Amino acid sequence: MNIAYVPTAYLGPVQLYTKFLAYDAIRVEAEENYVKQTYRNRCVIAAANGPQALTVPIVKPDTLKCPTRDIRISDHGNWRHLHWNALVSAYHMSPFFEYYEEDFAPFYEKRYDFLMDFNEALCETVCRLIDIQPQIERTSVYESDVSHDFREVISPKSRTEDPEFRPASYYQVFRDKWGFLPNLSIVDLLFNMGPESVLMLKASI
């Protein structure tokens, strides 16, 4: 069985979701020491002014090293309201936002304590809407030496090329203004392409 190891991600990038199709099973890393400034608590969408990062604030751990599974979400700064407004502003003109709006709105009303729980619930919703059924489990121990390790490759700061990912071009609302922006959050693909999202994922492998 081919198993891919990936990081948890807040509305993860297209690259992450291609792994869900390319591999028999997925292991989401829960036991690593939490890494800042990654997709673990950040997504990037296409807004009117270009790429926009949305970051979920976290409660600073008491220790220097804290397992990702123990990272808690902070209520600082009314971020849920800001994130939802940003999504509405960026995608209300997209072809499929109105079809999926009610699926995502509750995530910005309900409070989740832990980042991984929040990310998992969003991921399950996205997979259901795209109509894919990946076999996903959290890791229970940290293994440093694994095959098909994308835990650091799927990162906004990664300098490691992913030879298994070639982002396929698709319609984007602000494409005339900014050109095609590859590997944005999966919601960019979903809101713009709807049921054809799975075809774009397959084309990107």
Side-chain angles (χ1 to χ4, degrees), residues 20-122:
F20 296 175
L21 289 175
Y23 286 85
D24 301 321
I26 300 294
R27 298 290 181 268
V28 179
E29 186 56 66
E31 302 300 321
E32 66 184 354
N33 291 321
Y34 182 73
V35 183
K36 296 178 181 178
Q37 297 181 335
T38 67
Y39 292 128
R40 287 160 181 81
N41 70 324
R42 177 186 303 184
C43 70
V44 182
I45 63 172
N49 293 324
Q52 179 180 355
L54 303 177
T55 302
V56 177
I58 63 165
V59 177
K60 188 175 180 181
D62 294 330
T63 57
L64 286 175
K65 294 181 178 180
C66 178
T68 298
R69 60 177 156 76
D70 292 336
I71 294 294
R72 291 177 177 270
I73 295 175
S74 169
D75 286 328
H76 178 74
N78 199 21
W79 68 269
R80 293 175 184 85
H81 177 72
L82 295 174
H83 282 210
W84 182 244
N85 280 357
L87 289 168
V88 172
S89 177
Y91 295 110
H92 73 280
M93 295 295 290
S94 66
F96 294 96
F97 180 77
E98 65 178 314
Y99 293 98
Y100 303 129
E101 182 177 4
E102 291 183 1
D103 292 289
F104 289 96
F107 288 100
Y108 299 92
E109 297 162 0
K110 179 181 176 181
R111 279 174 159 70
Y112 286 79
D113 289 330
F114 291 96
L115 179 65
M116 283 201 74
D117 293 341
F118 181 56
N119 288 351
E120 278 181 3
L122 276 166

